[in-house]
């Protein structure tokens, strides 16, 4: 059997294990170990498997993962999402769809201190969804607005998915963070436009949901009460881009600042302890994925399959734009079944060699990959953000939320098309 055939068999085996319901990390480890044994033999497998789990996880850059997770939990404990929503409501509540726009704005604001799509959707849903339903929004629109707004958590920096992409491809984290700002704002603006148009088309909803215009004094007061968001974003991104700290140090400063803010807001030490436990548990899960992806990647490399695919694809001499679209299409399918972190760690060993050989900018491709993982977070049957919103707010049926997500799905595809057509939207700040 040729090496390429062994690689195909390895990938087929992985999907069989996933279809059987085996956890993704365990499926990656199992298929990788079997492939290493069959291709390299026992001695090579003994050496690789003895060293790889430690060397793959003992990366100093990985420290940012628990730090950003803890930062997000402390920001939630301090009530940052609720104050951000109240401030956005004061600015947008008087226009059609203002409550929905405020929910998306709160998601964008919380994304600057969270780094997690699921955490953003869950925290904003607790505050925004009951308000939207009470004001007369349909369950379909209320659930969809928060579920899709939550996807901004992995696009607006800091972002855990960007960190994993950086680790998998050796793309600088600061470049990815900077590149995500404009696409994140663009996505939030288009979400707001969609919500505004949806409410305006429904006369009954428009009449019920428009709130009185808040006076300027109240707007400014509520905006100033959300000072934690500005502070935490400035601590992380400011120290990073002023050259005062590396990405790891900036994450540490952000976690410390979030802890200080939470304690200043009256958060109890029991909640701090819970934040450490939750962050530690999530980090352990991510590290298991990283180790599994590392074993899978090494096993795949021994078959020479990624290099063969890269050579074959580049020999077709496809235009870079067409090639980029073809490389992104699998994410639409994978997003229906697996989470964002798994998608990145699973696909990069195969796809990124093609990206490098074709001369595609890795920062641009990274942001596009993050966008595709966003789409995966709102598409059935997995659609983690939709399930999180439905679990947090049981009055929102999952089926209704998925139906409401469809127009936002189209908006996401429009944003991806704009980013491909105008790379400067992504790379302008980086350059």
């Amino acid at each position: 059997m040729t090496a390429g055939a062994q690689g195909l068999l390895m990938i087929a085996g992985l999907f069989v294990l996933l279809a059987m319901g085996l956890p993704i990390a365990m499926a990656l480890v199992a298929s990788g170990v079997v492939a290493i044994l069959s291709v390299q033999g026992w001695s090579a497998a003994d050496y690789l498997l003895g060293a790889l789990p430690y060397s793959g996880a003992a990366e100093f850059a990985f420290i940012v993962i628990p730090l950003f997770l803890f930062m997000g939990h402390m920001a939630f404990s301090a009530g940052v999402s609720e104050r951000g929503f109240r401030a956005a409501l004061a600015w947008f509540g008087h226009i059609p769809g203002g409550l929905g726009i405020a929910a998306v704005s709160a998601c964008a604001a919380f994304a600057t201190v969270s780094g997690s799509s699921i955490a953003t959707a869950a925290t904003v849903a607790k505050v925004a969804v009951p308000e939207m339903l009470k004001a007369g929004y349909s369950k379909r629109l209320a659930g969809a607005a928060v579920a899709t707004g939550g996807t901004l958590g992995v696009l607006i920096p800091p972002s855990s998915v960007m960190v994993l992409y950086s680790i998998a491809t050796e793309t600088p984290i600061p470049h990815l963070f900077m590149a995500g700002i404009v696409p994140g704002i663009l996505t939030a603006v288009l979400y707001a436009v969609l919500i505004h148009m949806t409410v305006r088309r429904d006369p009954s909803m428009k009449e019920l949901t428009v709130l009185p215009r808040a006076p300027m004094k109240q707007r400014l007061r509520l905006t100033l009460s959300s000072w934690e968001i500005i502070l935490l974003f400035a601590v992380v991104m400011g120290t990073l881009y002023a050259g005062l700290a590396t990405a790891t140090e900036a994450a540490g400063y952000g976690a410390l600042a979030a802890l200080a803010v939470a304690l200043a807001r009256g958060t109890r030490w029991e909640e701090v302890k819970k934040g450490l436990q939750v962050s530690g548990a999530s980090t352990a899960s991510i590290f298991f994925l990283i180790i599994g992806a590392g074993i899978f990647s090494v096993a795949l490399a021994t078959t020479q399959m990624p290099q063969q695919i890269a050579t074959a694809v580049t020999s077709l001499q496809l235009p870079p734009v067409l090639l980029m679209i073809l490389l992104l299409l699998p994410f639409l399918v994978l997003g229906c079944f697996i989470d964002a972190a798994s998608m990145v760690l699973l696909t990069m060993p195969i796809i990124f060699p093609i990206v490098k050989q074709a001369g595609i900018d890795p920062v641009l491709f990274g942001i596009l990959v993050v966008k595709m993982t966003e789409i995966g977070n709102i598409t059935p049957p997995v659609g983690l953000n939709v399930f999180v919103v439905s679990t947090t707010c049981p009055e929102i049926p999952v089926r209704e939320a998925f139906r409401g997500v469809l127009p936002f799905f189209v908006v996401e595809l429009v944003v991806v098309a704009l980013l491909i057509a105008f790379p400067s939207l992504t790379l302008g700040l980086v350059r």
Side-chain angles (χ1 to χ4, degrees), residues 240-329:
L240 186 61
Y241 290 106
L244 301 175
T246 63
T248 306
E249 292 166 346
Y253 293 145
L256 180 61
L259 175 61
V261 166
L263 293 176
R265 287 288 187 179
T267 299
R268 296 185 176 184
W269 282 106
E270 289 80 2
E271 187 65 28
V272 175
K273 181 181 177 181
K274 180 182 177 182
L276 291 170
Q277 291 172 337
V278 170
S279 302
S282 300
T283 301
S285 300
I286 293 172
F287 269 50
F288 195 11
L289 270 174
I290 291 171
I291 292 169
I295 293 173
F296 182 83
S297 178
V298 168
L300 200 60
T302 61
T303 67
Q304 298 295 309
M305 181 185 169
Q307 295 86 338
Q308 292 175 6
I309 292 176
T311 302
V313 171
T314 50
S315 67
L316 297 175
Q317 297 184 339
L318 297 172
V321 171
L322 179 57
L323 178 59
M324 208 156 23
I325 293 171
L326 291 176
L327 292 176
L328 292 173
L329 285 177

Side-chain angles (χ1 to χ4, degrees), residues 92 95-101 104 137-138 141 145 188-207 209-210 407-408 410-411 414:
F92 304 117
I95 64 176
L99 262 170
I101 295 171
V104 170
Y137 279 75
S138 66
L141 180 57
V189 169
L190 292 182
Y191 283 169
V193 171
L194 174 62
I195 293 169
H196 177 70
M197 292 172 61
T198 302
V199 172
R200 285 196 64 179
R201 284 201 305 265
D202 188 335
S204 60
M205 197 186 304
K206 178 182 176 181
E207 183 179 350
T209 59
V210 174
F408 292 91
V410 176
V411 167
V414 169

Side-chain angles (χ1 to χ4, degrees), residues 319-358:
V321 171
L322 179 57
L323 178 59
M324 208 156 23
I325 293 171
L326 291 176
L327 292 176
L328 292 173
L329 285 177
F331 288 94
L332 284 177
V333 179
L334 289 173
C336 295
F337 303 101
I338 60 177
D339 62 278
S342 302
M343 261 192 283
V344 171
L345 295 172
L346 181 64
T347 57
M348 286 307 108
I350 302 171
I351 289 179
F352 197 69
I354 303 173
V355 172
K356 285 199 300 185
Q357 202 154 329

